[in-house]
Amino acid sequence: MVTTHEQIEQNLRSVRNRIAAAARRAGRSADAVTLVAVTKYAKADVVRTLVDLGVRDLGESRPQQLGERAALIDQSVRWHLIGSLQRNKARRTLSVVEMIHSANSVRLLRHLDYLAQELEIRPRVLLEVNLSGEATKHGFDPVALTSEWDGILSLKHLSLEGLMTMGAWEKDPERTRPTFAGLRELRDHLRERSPADVPLEHLSIGMSNDFEIAIEEGATFVRIGSALFEGR
Ligand SMILES: *Cc1c(COP(=O)(O)O)cnc(C)c1O
């Protein structure tokens, strides 16, 4: 991993250009896609470099590390939790995150709803879906999510904003397209069953290897780590 300011700046410019090009190909505005810089493997000084370069949305997969970094880094940063949340870390995490991308069980959602009521907040939540069927991946089974949907909608203290998934790693990123399209179709289906105040506008899809495909398939958040931090 390289850590020079110039390298990070160059990587960031390249990622932003690729985001813009993919959005253009899809007839979408680049402003409709938020880059979440995933900092889980980066050192704190490298994270600062990104913030100095104007990145405002940062993602961490571990609540512990997210909390520690949120305390170190400037207040204007919006933190996104993209990995599993244990219920005993939920209260503290809710006090620092902009959005949880990785709500992956009804049990967790109920707990978040309970905390939100108590804290008088309305957390922004995406539901993680496991569409690749890989046992190592977290997330709702799509059929189970569909059957639980009415119950999830009854959790009135959560702002349910959309879905998240991880594509299986593919040498040819084109092969992740059906997974991303499948998530969008699932979102469209759930939207039809939801009241107007649950628009499910967000799709958190796409990582370093496949974010351009994800943008073509409707990503509103791309979660990018290695493409920002690695050298060539
Ligand atoms: C690590 C991670 C990413 C970023 O992965 P890269 O391939 O480094 O871009 C995105 N999403 C999740 C959920 C992750 O855990």
Side-chain angles (χ1 to χ4, degrees):
M1 290 242 171
V2 286
T3 55
T4 67
H5 190 97
E6 291 71 29
Q7 183 83 56
I8 303 287
E9 188 168 21
Q10 195 182 324
N11 289 351
L12 178 62
R13 198 178 316 118
S14 156
V15 165
R16 288 211 189 282
N17 286 342
R18 289 167 63 193
I19 289 173
R24 210 175 307 118
R25 277 198 298 281
R28 305 180 58 211
S29 162
D31 294 342
V33 183
T34 299
L35 167 64
V36 177
V38 176
T39 52
K40 63 186 178 195
Y41 300 130
K43 295 212 175 78
D45 61 322
V46 177
V47 180
R48 271 221 188 74
T49 300
L50 269 183
V51 174
D52 290 344
L53 289 168
V55 174
R56 281 292 165 270
D57 291 271
L58 301 181
E60 282 284 340
S61 51
R62 288 173 43 232
Q64 181 81 28
Q65 182 156 314
L66 188 155
E68 287 163 11
R69 290 187 157 184
L72 283 177
I73 309 242
D74 141 6
Q75 302 268 317
S76 64
V77 165
R78 294 180 288 260
W79 287 96
H80 298 255
L81 181 71
I82 61 169
S84 292
L85 179 60
Q86 303 76 21
R87 285 183 304 149
N88 63 0
K89 302 236 169 73
R91 181 185 294 269
R92 179 152 181 261
T93 300
L94 282 178
S95 71
V96 289
V97 288
E98 169 71 18
M99 183 180 264
I100 294 171
H101 291 229
S102 44
N104 55 18
S105 73
V106 172
R107 196 156 170 249
L108 174 63
L109 287 169
R110 283 214 194 93
H111 186 61
L112 293 173
D113 187 67
Y114 160 81
L115 289 172
Q117 174 165 32
E118 187 190 301
L119 300 168
E120 299 184 0
I121 56 176
R122 196 149 187 276
R124 304 178 66 194
V125 174
L126 307 181
L127 306 181
E128 181 174 358
V129 182
N130 182 349
L131 280 174
S132 63
E134 288 173 289
T136 53
K137 293 224 158 87
H138 296 281
F140 282 94
D141 170 79
V143 175
L145 179 60
T146 305
S147 63
E148 312 252 35
W149 188 243
D150 292 340
I152 292 171
L153 283 175
S154 73
L155 303 172
K156 292 296 179 200
H157 305 282
L158 302 179
S159 178
L160 299 170
E161 300 193 8
L163 304 180
M164 180 272 234
T165 199
M166 284 173 81
W169 195 89
E170 299 282 356
K171 195 163 190 296
D172 175 7
E174 187 60 42
R175 296 182 58 149
T176 58
R177 190 183 294 279
T179 302
F180 295 153
L183 192 75
R184 190 187 61 236
E185 283 157 19
L186 178 62
R187 185 276 307 273
D188 293 348
H189 170 73
L190 296 175
R191 182 148 64 185
E192 278 170 22
R193 290 179 45 191
S194 306
D197 64 346
V198 184
L200 300 178
E201 68 266 48
H202 290 299
L203 291 175
S204 174
I205 47 179
M207 310 184 4
S208 293
N209 190 49
D210 52 24
F211 69 89
E212 289 149 304
I213 306 285
I215 291 167
E216 290 171 16
E217 294 300 328
T220 61
F221 290 102
V222 289
R223 311 177 308 268
I224 298 181
S226 48
L228 291 172
F229 299 113
E230 276 171 13
R232 294 148 203 262

